[in-house]
Amino acid sequence: MEHGAVTAEFLGLSFNLSNILMITIASLIVFLLAIAGSRSLQMRPGGVQNFMEWVIDFVKGIINSTMDWKTGGRFLTLGLTLIMYIFVANMLGIPLAVVIDHNLWWKSPTADPAITMTLAMMVLVLTHFYAIKLKGAKEYGGDFLKPMKFLFPLKIIEEFANTLTLGLRLYGNIYAGEVLLTLLAGAGTAGIFAGVLSFIPMLVWQGFSIFVGAIQAFIFTMLTMVYMAHKVGDEH
Amino acid sequence: MHIFNPDSLILGAAGFNAGDMLYQLLAFLVLLFLLRKYAFGPLMGIMKEREQHIGNEITEAETRRKEAETYLTQQTEALREARKEAQALIEAAKKQGEQQGEAILQAAREESNRMKEAALSEIGREKEQAVQTLRNEVAALSVQIASKVIAKELDEKSQEKLVDDYLKEVGEAR
């Protein structure tokens, strides 16, 4: 069950071509979905537009639950892109995994820690960026000394811990799901008896993976907004 | 079945590739930009527009309702006014009718009184005239009697008889 990956060198950086492919596909799907939802805008929404508006309202609800809309409104597009991209990326690995010459091509891009950590780091950098932009450098720095000065080291650790947990939680959930799916699929092809036996667990686990994928997309977006509110908000 | 390579469990299927991170970051930012420009921007625009539209509709509906209420009050007022007016008209007509009847009755009464008066005075005048006529006749008769008496130069007896006769005659004529 161990799969390799095709890598390529470009400008001194190594690229996992499978990741590149899946990132592109996930981005493309999200883009096409969003375009389909906003292609023929109508006052009375129907079909995909309705769905997209529901997603927007959903993310609005997430933001409103963490900060007031005056500061949170600017993060709506970020939250929307995050939740849609991560959800689609999580879903991609569920129905199939394409392996060519023992190299894994089709999988969830979020089943790679580098990808999820990239997203997590981007979010954390954005929280610091907006904290400085909205509150000024002085107050931003001062926040590290609150509520007590001796908590400063903990505050620094907290930033790294936040980044790590945010990225690795997503990776762990999705990767574990894929590993188990791969195992079950491997069992399914091992023989008729094992195939019949693994069919039901396969079904159950795929359903559960859909649930986990959706929940993880929601959690990632929710935590993004929580960290953002933590940095940007004035309640501390 | 193969056994998992511990490396693949920790770092995914194919180890660590810095290029992936760069690509993911770039892809995400490009996606963010494209979605903002082509999808969410217009979508949020129309959502805001709809919100405003609904707000306007509600305001308009409220205005309409208020207008309708005003109209209703006006109509009710007008109806009450009309009813009152009609009542007044009927009342006036009734009163006028009564007055007219009274007047006619009065006039008739006066007329009849006048006629009665006229008839009475006529009767009185006729009577007066009759009395006058009779008196004249009596006087004429008296002159006739006197002239007859003088003309005949009767004796006492016959004169008495004559007077009696004449008196009788007058009495009968009366």
Side-chain angles (χ1 to χ4, degrees), chain B:
Chain B
M1 289 251 289
H2 302 272
I3 294 168
F4 275 98
N5 179 352
D7 279 350
S8 75
L9 275 178
I10 296 162
L11 288 175
F16 176 73
N17 295 297
D20 293 357
M21 300 183 75
L22 200 68
Y23 186 78
Q24 170 63 74
L25 187 64
L26 221 68
F28 188 83
L29 292 180
V30 168
L31 182 65
L32 188 73
F33 172 76
L34 285 178
L35 287 187
R36 186 196 292 270
K37 180 146 191 205
Y38 293 109
F40 294 142
L43 206 55
M44 284 172 207
I46 200 137
M47 282 169 90
K48 190 161 278 180
E49 204 175 300
R50 183 185 308 130
E51 215 166 89
Q52 276 172 356
H53 180 74
I54 290 172
N56 284 348
E57 291 290 299
I58 289 174
T59 318
E60 201 170 319
E62 249 162 41
T63 322
R64 286 271 158 79
R65 199 176 58 87
K66 249 174 222 164
E67 239 168 62
E69 248 165 43
T70 320
Y71 279 140
L72 187 67
T73 326
Q74 276 175 4
Q75 293 301 321
T76 318
E77 194 63 35
L79 196 65
R80 201 189 349 240
E81 203 79 8
R83 209 167 268 161
K84 217 193 264 176
E85 225 161 84
Q87 197 69 33
L89 272 176
I90 291 170
E91 206 80 4
K94 224 182 247 174
K95 210 178 231 172
Q96 203 180 350
E98 263 169 33
Q99 268 174 359
Q100 248 167 21
E102 197 77 27
I104 289 169
L105 212 61
Q106 189 69 30
R109 209 169 274 148
E110 266 168 27
E111 178 74 15
S112 74
N113 272 352
R114 205 171 49 73
M115 277 168 80
K116 202 168 103 185
E117 294 284 313
L120 277 178
S121 66
E122 183 85 4
I123 289 166
R125 208 170 49 242
E126 292 280 326
K127 191 174 147 191
E128 200 74 28
Q129 216 172 347
V131 169
Q132 194 61 42
T133 314
L134 190 65
R135 208 168 272 157
N136 288 349
E137 223 153 285
V138 168
L141 275 176
S142 308
V143 169
Q144 259 182 342
I145 292 168
S147 64
K148 267 192 184 163
V149 167
I150 293 163
K152 273 189 177 179
E153 275 188 338
L154 294 173
D155 57 343
E156 208 170 307
K157 222 178 147 185
S158 54
Q159 191 182 344
E160 218 169 273
K161 198 184 172 260
L162 200 66
V163 170
D164 271 350
D165 283 352
Y166 267 100
L167 279 177
K168 211 179 269 174
E169 202 173 311
V170 169
E172 271 167 6
R174 211 145 170 199

Side-chain angles (χ1 to χ4, degrees), chain A residues 1-3 5 14-16 19 24 27 34 38 41 43 45 52-53 76 81 85 115 118 121-122 171 175 179, chain B residues 2 4-5 8-10 13-14 17 19-21 23-24 28 31-32 35 38-40 42-44 50 53:
Chain A
M1 276 317 103
E2 182 197 344
H3 302 303
S14 62
F15 291 88
N16 180 345
N19 276 344
T24 313
S27 302
S38 58
L41 291 172
M43 283 300 247
M52 286 306 301
E53 291 194 3
L76 182 56
T81 316
Y85 176 76
I115 305 298
T118 307
M121 279 189 271
M122 181 194 73
Y171 156 69
Y175 186 63
V179 166
Chain B
H2 302 272
F4 275 98
N5 179 352
S8 75
L9 275 178
I10 296 162
N17 295 297
D20 293 357
M21 300 183 75
Y23 186 78
Q24 170 63 74
F28 188 83
L31 182 65
L32 188 73
L35 287 187
Y38 293 109
F40 294 142
L43 206 55
M44 284 172 207
R50 183 185 308 130
H53 180 74

